[in-house]
Amino acid sequence: MKILFIGDIFGKSGRRAIQNELPKLIKNESIDFVIANAENTTHGRSLSVKHYQQLMNYGVNYFTFGNHTWHLKEIGQVLAHDNTIRPLNLKQDTQEVKIGKGSIVFIHKGKKVRITNLLGNTVECHKIQTNPFISFREFLESNDSDIHIIDFHAETTSEKNAFLLSFAGKVTAILGTHTHVQTADEKIYKNTAYITDVGMTGGTLGIIGAEPDSILDCFNEKAERFRLSPSNSKYQFNAVLLFIDEQANVVKSIKRFFINE
């Protein structure tokens, strides 16, 4: 079984990258299904109904999210679909926990496949998340599967490394998202595929996919805050491909993709 996971889709350039590159990859690599982090797809924040449908047409099968999930009011319509996965570890007294699911399970080629989305402690999200280590450990106690893919949406490399060491051998893959910079540390440890960050699919000439002007002003102390506005420059397409032995339910390889327009 071959599973493609695409790093954070960011704005118009990211959507164009999916349209141009994904159908070719699906065909050339004989991919079974595609997961994409879509929390930055619509103008850098959240995923609209229109763009959800577009990405489905381009070949994305399942969608994970992160701290920008709830920026658009229409996200409720998107999260109502059974192929969307918002962060699992949300406090029970929040409005966000009432919409969508943090983990889904489905059957593919006779295998019980699960996809789970988690927010790291190091992500700024108005403190609506619970501790992902504790929450996920409790979740695992009553939720089994043959194949389990984790999108761990976190800021620091240390938290992602710690998550691997905590859950290696208990899940199929732990794939980091959020920083928009692809790392070169893909590996398989105790039968768990891992990469600190899958990267970003969007404008390659900006700053982590964003237009640079307001960010540069902030770094140069000309402004107190910056706007993360998607760059419409030429794109990069970042993803990883997992190859899983369907007989043993064991991941055999993880391969990075970094495609420039």
Side-chain angles (χ1 to χ4, degrees):
M1 186 183 301
K2 292 185 176 181
I3 304 169
L4 187 74
F5 187 100
I6 302 171
D8 302 44
I9 302 170
F10 196 12
K12 186 176 181 179
S13 291
R15 300 193 303 271
R16 190 173 74 252
I18 299 299
Q19 181 181 16
N20 292 347
E21 304 298 336
L22 183 55
K24 293 184 291 186
L25 271 178
I26 292 172
K27 180 180 179 180
N28 294 340
E29 299 288 343
S30 300
I31 292 167
D32 285 274
F33 61 87
V34 178
I35 311 166
N37 184 291
E39 71 139 5
N40 298 134
T41 299
T42 301
H43 311 305
R45 295 187 177 187
S46 196
L47 176 65
S48 68
V49 172
K50 175 183 175 181
H51 293 153
Y52 163 79
Q53 293 171 340
Q54 281 184 354
L55 294 178
M56 284 275 289
N57 290 337
Y58 300 154
V60 178
N61 304 111
Y62 299 95
F63 300 81
T64 56
F65 292 87
N67 54 303
H68 290 303
T69 305
W70 303 276
H71 186 78
L72 295 178
K73 290 183 179 180
E74 62 187 281
I75 191 61
Q77 299 175 58
V78 175
L79 293 179
H81 295 284
D82 59 8
N83 64 343
T84 58
I85 311 101
R86 51 90 172 145
L88 173 74
N89 55 316
L90 301 177
K91 293 178 180 177
Q92 293 302 305
D93 60 352
T94 63
Q95 291 297 314
E96 290 84 355
V97 78
K98 299 176 182 179
I99 305 171
K101 297 178 180 179
S103 184
I104 65 167
V105 64
F106 56 94
I107 303 299
H108 185 83
K109 290 186 173 180
K111 298 297 181 179
K112 189 177 181 182
V113 181
R114 181 174 292 279
I115 304 170
T116 301
N117 194 186
L118 292 163
L119 275 177
N121 287 313
T122 53
V123 173
E124 174 53 48
C125 196
H126 307 292
K127 298 181 180 180
I128 65 171
Q129 73 265 49
T130 59
N131 185 301
F133 293 81
I134 297 172
S135 295
F136 188 62
R137 188 172 293 112
E138 293 172 350
F139 178 80
L140 272 182
E141 291 177 359
S142 57
N143 293 276
D144 64 343
S145 56
D146 298 313
I147 297 164
H148 196 165
I149 311 297
I150 312 297
D151 175 347
F152 190 41
H153 201 76
E155 185 74 43
T156 64
T157 57
S158 58
E159 186 176 15
K160 295 175 186 179
N161 290 171
F163 198 83
L164 170 66
L165 294 182
S166 297
F167 296 102
K170 298 177 181 179
V171 297
T172 308
I174 297 169
L175 308 176
T177 59
H178 181 64
T179 70
H180 290 203
V181 178
Q182 188 182 79
T183 55
D185 62 341
E186 73 276 15
K187 60 187 171 186
I188 297 174
Y189 177 64
K190 294 184 178 180
N191 291 326
T192 297
Y194 172 82
I195 186 168
T196 299
D197 206 284
V198 179
M200 181 270 299
T201 296
T204 195
L205 299 179
I207 296 174
I208 60 170
E211 291 291 349
D213 290 350
S214 71
I215 301 173
L216 291 173
D217 283 346
C218 189
F219 279 121
N220 284 284
E221 298 184 357
K222 295 179 180 179
E224 293 185 0
R225 299 177 63 85
F226 61 80
R227 290 181 297 103
L228 210 60
S229 178
S231 167
N232 290 326
S233 62
K234 289 185 177 181
Y235 64 70
Q236 64 185 53
F237 179 101
N238 287 180
V240 293
L241 180 63
L242 305 174
F243 175 68
I244 297 170
D245 183 336
E246 297 165 31
Q247 300 300 316
N249 297 332
V250 173
V251 63
K252 305 299 289 185
S253 67
I254 176 172
K255 176 184 178 182
R256 278 186 298 125
F257 288 93
F258 195 124
I259 302 169
N260 283 309
E261 185 174 19

